[in-house]
Amino acid sequence: MFPNAEGVFATHQSVHPVSVIMYKHDLVYLTEDASHDAAIEHINEEAFGPGRFARAAARIREQGPHDLSLSFICADDGETIASVRMTPVLAGTVKGHLLGPLAVRPSHKNMGIGRELVRIAVEAARRKGSEAVILVGDPPYYGPLGFEKVAYNALTFPGPVDPGRVLVVPIAEGVHERLKGPIAWRDTSY
């Protein structure tokens, strides 16, 4: 269907006007900086509620800061509407990054923004020399983005986690074999 000169959508079979609502989005993906903190906190609260602090992945994030150079936001017309953070971790003997939280405002869901943020973050981690990107998430969502299941109970988290939801994008050789043992925040300041 294409609009005619009056902006009415029509098909070759009929010329009945169709009501169309069009939304203009001016999406920009940026590296996170401190000015985004309040908006990101609001987005995560909206997406995950107060229970987000009890999750095993949150226990890792509490151990040290995330990597700003690998954390990104999406803005629509200047408003931060989505974010993804990456935290440096040592998982077994793998020097990688824990992806998350990944959150998108409800007004912007199902537009591919989360998938694009994941793609950008994984590629940035690859360029920075990370050996793997790990997360606890939904395999049907993350599988098409390159994530694979980690061996059942291979990693020990600082809290309960469903082992079937522990996923990885292996970047270096032999990652799956080395993802055995505890996962914890990794200091990259030295």
Side-chain angles (χ1 to χ4, degrees):
M1 288 196 318
F2 298 97
N4 64 17
E6 291 79 38
V8 175
F9 285 80
T11 67
H12 67 282
Q13 296 173 336
S14 69
V15 287
H16 300 289
V18 177
S19 295
V20 177
I21 299 173
M22 297 178 65
Y23 297 98
K24 180 184 178 294
H25 293 283
D26 187 16
L27 301 177
V28 179
Y29 295 87
L30 304 167
T31 304
E32 178 189 332
D33 65 39
S35 72
H36 302 119
D37 284 347
I40 291 170
E41 179 59 29
H42 176 72
I43 292 167
N44 288 330
E45 180 181 2
E46 191 174 50
F48 304 112
R52 68 190 182 282
F53 298 114
R55 295 179 177 187
R59 300 273 83 83
I60 294 169
R61 293 183 197 112
E62 291 172 346
Q63 297 170 6
H66 62 283
D67 185 336
L68 280 173
S69 72
L70 299 180
S71 299
F72 300 91
I73 64 102
C74 178
D76 184 2
D77 196 25
E79 176 190 359
T80 301
I81 51 90
S83 76
V84 65
R85 286 182 165 167
M86 297 275 270
T87 301
V89 294
L90 184 62
T93 62
V94 175
K95 292 179 180 176
H97 287 85
L98 182 66
L99 186 143
L102 167 67
V104 179
R105 300 282 323 264
S107 59
H108 288 75
K109 286 196 178 290
N110 302 314
M111 294 174 58
I113 295 167
R115 289 185 297 278
E116 182 64 7
L117 283 169
V118 170
R119 188 196 66 74
I120 291 167
V122 169
E123 184 53 37
R126 185 184 316 275
R127 285 193 311 271
K128 193 166 181 175
S130 183
E131 294 185 303
V133 176
I134 302 160
L135 63 78
V136 179
D138 188 22
Y141 180 84
Y142 289 101
L145 302 176
F147 285 83
E148 305 166 0
K149 287 190 177 184
V150 171
Y152 197 81
N153 282 333
L155 292 175
T156 306
F157 281 77
V161 65
D162 177 350
R165 293 174 50 87
V166 180
L167 308 173
V168 64
V169 171
I171 297 172
E173 292 293 320
V175 164
H176 280 284
E177 296 77 22
R178 296 185 296 127
L179 284 174
K180 291 182 174 63
I183 180 170
W185 178 78
R186 175 173 54 93
D187 187 355
T188 59
S189 63
Y190 49 91

